[in-house]
Amino acid sequence: MSDSIAAGGVVAGPGEGTRAVRAGLPEPVKYEPTLPGPVFAAHFHLPGEPTGPYTYGRDENPTWTHLERAVGGLEAPGQDGVETLVFASGMAAISSVLFSQLRAGDTVVLPSDGYQALPLVRAQLEAYGVEVRTAPTGGDAQLGALDGAKLLWIESPSNPGLDVCDIRRLVEAAHARGALVAVDNTLATPLGQRPLELGADFSVASGTKQLTGHGDVLLGYVTGRSGEPMTAVRRWRKIVGAIPGPMEAWLAHRSIATLQMRVDRQSSTALAVARALRGRPEVTGLRYPGLPDDPSHQVASRQMRRYGCVVSFTLPTRARAERFLDRLRLVDDATSFGGVRSTAERRGRWGGDAVPEGFIRLSVGAEDPEDLVADVLRALEESA
């Protein structure tokens, strides 16, 4: 998976593991830690004119700066004119793009099968006079809704259904119509795909999930090309104050060092779990983009370097799904995904996703693949 050796054996830059381990670190200073500790400060010494990088804690913080450089180096390695802003949560990051770019009378295109909070976002946008169109992710269906749109919002792979769209194709079509494009990159992570390299204007993600990977941090970020759109996002963060705490930012930066190891382990194990589920008669609607027979595999293979840690499938009934979850021993029944400890849930319990009652979203952790596969298969047998 390393991209350090290009065609002909020419060194093209550090590999992804090296990049993750070194991401965002400051220049070494004698007797100082490699990764400086979190800076807890509401204000900074500021005599005279208010110039310089750090003036007030709602605007900037040195701990954010290190993390933002780390994320930007993974989302857009080697690219100039790209900046990253961190937020208190993934929804704070999502909201910052939508509400900073759209005005009354504008039109936005959202996925109809995306994250369950998007219907809440839609209601708020419509209350502000923004027209909201929706289309499913699969089959690049959003192409038919782009005319007159100001912003296209892509979620690929979609959560929880794991559909994939051709990001580059949608970006080109949107830009031809004068629309900006934001891609929710939460499920893929920057090691799975890089939306800005596919032409997107924004890559947005919840750092709560696999980016940090330990289930102990709420965080979000927006990476985009420098210019007025990102200036508007920064201004929105300042106005709303949706900023991360320095401890959360520091924990996130610390966790990024192991991102490649975690993503590689979790992706390979997710494929093993998907393969084990493929032959089960009680399992329907199995989705994992890494399976060669998955409906999204061909598109995913063109734009993704790793296929993620989430597997989705449906069991015959709600009761069967709940018995299955109850009999798992290595998988926590919890919402969210991307952590080193496997989690699963019956997604329909929240009521916000258009999924069957027996639909399961399984997030594969870092357990030994053989142990996790055995646990899943045993739980299926015992729940029959």
Side-chain angles (χ1 to χ4, degrees):
M1 295 295 180
S2 173
D3 58 0
S4 60
I5 304 298
V10 177
V11 177
E16 289 178 324
T18 302
R19 189 178 290 122
V21 168
R22 309 293 304 178
L25 297 181
E27 290 296 319
V29 177
K30 192 173 184 178
Y31 305 127
E32 293 295 321
T34 305
L35 176 61
V39 175
F40 298 98
H43 58 267
F44 302 84
H45 287 295
L46 195 64
E49 292 298 317
T51 58
Y54 306 110
T55 58
Y56 186 64
R58 193 181 68 250
D59 298 334
E60 293 290 349
N61 178 288
T63 310
W64 304 352
T65 300
H66 295 315
L67 175 59
E68 288 170 344
R69 289 173 180 167
V71 173
L74 297 177
E75 282 280 357
Q79 293 190 42
D80 296 325
V82 171
E83 58 183 305
T84 296
L85 299 171
V86 291
F87 290 82
S89 67
M91 279 308 303
I94 289 170
S95 300
S96 75
V97 173
L98 291 169
F99 291 101
S100 70
Q101 306 302 314
L102 298 169
R103 304 287 184 272
D106 288 342
T107 298
V108 62
V109 181
L110 301 178
S112 59
D113 54 346
Y115 180 50
Q116 65 157 359
L118 288 181
L120 300 176
V121 173
R122 174 179 185 168
Q124 193 63 58
L125 287 168
E126 290 176 337
Y128 289 156
V130 175
E131 179 187 350
V132 180
R133 302 173 189 162
T134 62
T137 299
D140 303 328
Q142 290 163 303
L143 282 172
L146 288 177
D147 285 348
K150 174 72 177 297
L151 176 68
L152 167 64
W153 190 273
I154 293 172
E155 191 176 295
S156 181
S158 61
N159 174 28
L162 303 183
D163 259 334
V164 173
C165 59
D166 188 331
I167 295 175
R168 191 182 298 278
R169 182 184 184 204
L170 286 170
V171 166
E172 290 174 352
H175 284 172
R177 292 165 172 81
L180 296 169
V181 180
V183 176
D184 187 327
N185 206 34
T186 303
L187 214 150
T189 82
L191 299 193
Q193 69 189 7
R194 298 178 188 140
L196 267 63
E197 291 184 357
L198 298 170
D201 301 286
F202 304 101
S203 181
V204 187
S206 168
T208 308
K209 310 300 194 295
Q210 197 171 20
L211 184 84
T212 55
H214 291 78
D216 54 8
V217 170
L218 287 175
L219 194 86
Y221 70 83
V222 179
T223 299
R225 306 183 192 286
S226 300
E228 176 51 34
M230 278 299 289
T231 299
V233 173
R234 183 182 293 275
R235 185 166 55 244
W236 181 263
R237 183 179 71 172
K238 180 183 177 74
I239 294 169
V240 176
I243 57 173
M247 191 66 196
E248 286 79 3
W250 185 86
L251 285 169
H253 195 172
R254 175 215 59 178
S255 299
I256 285 175
T258 62
L259 180 61
Q260 190 224 26
M261 291 181 281
R262 290 186 282 108
V263 167
D264 280 350
R265 174 63 170 260
Q266 290 170 260
S267 297
S268 62
T269 304
L271 180 58
V273 170
R275 285 171 172 162
L277 290 170
R278 189 163 49 182
R280 300 291 305 193
E282 67 272 67
V283 170
T284 59
L286 175 65
R287 295 302 302 270
Y288 183 68
L291 284 172
D293 55 352
D294 186 272
S296 293
H297 181 71
Q298 288 189 357
V299 174
S301 296
R302 291 198 298 268
Q303 65 192 23
M304 299 183 73
R305 304 186 309 285
R306 297 167 178 85
Y307 300 106
C309 63
V310 176
V311 178
S312 68
F313 57 96
T314 300
L315 294 176
T317 64
R318 169 177 177 167
R320 178 69 186 276
E322 290 175 345
R323 290 198 304 271
F324 166 73
L325 293 169
D326 182 63
R327 284 158 177 78
L328 290 166
R329 295 295 173 263
L330 297 179
V331 183
D332 297 332
D333 191 343
T335 196
S336 198
F337 58 86
V340 292
R341 288 172 288 277
S342 294
T343 60
E345 69 173 335
R346 190 182 66 80
R347 192 63 186 165
R349 64 181 176 172
W350 298 101
D353 297 304
V355 295
E357 285 292 303
F359 182 94
I360 299 291
R361 185 182 70 182
L362 172 61
S363 171
V364 172
E367 298 88 357
D368 286 316
E370 299 82 2
D371 293 337
L372 189 59
V373 169
D375 190 49
V376 168
L377 294 180
R378 180 193 50 76
L380 282 175
E381 292 290 345
E382 292 183 4
S383 65

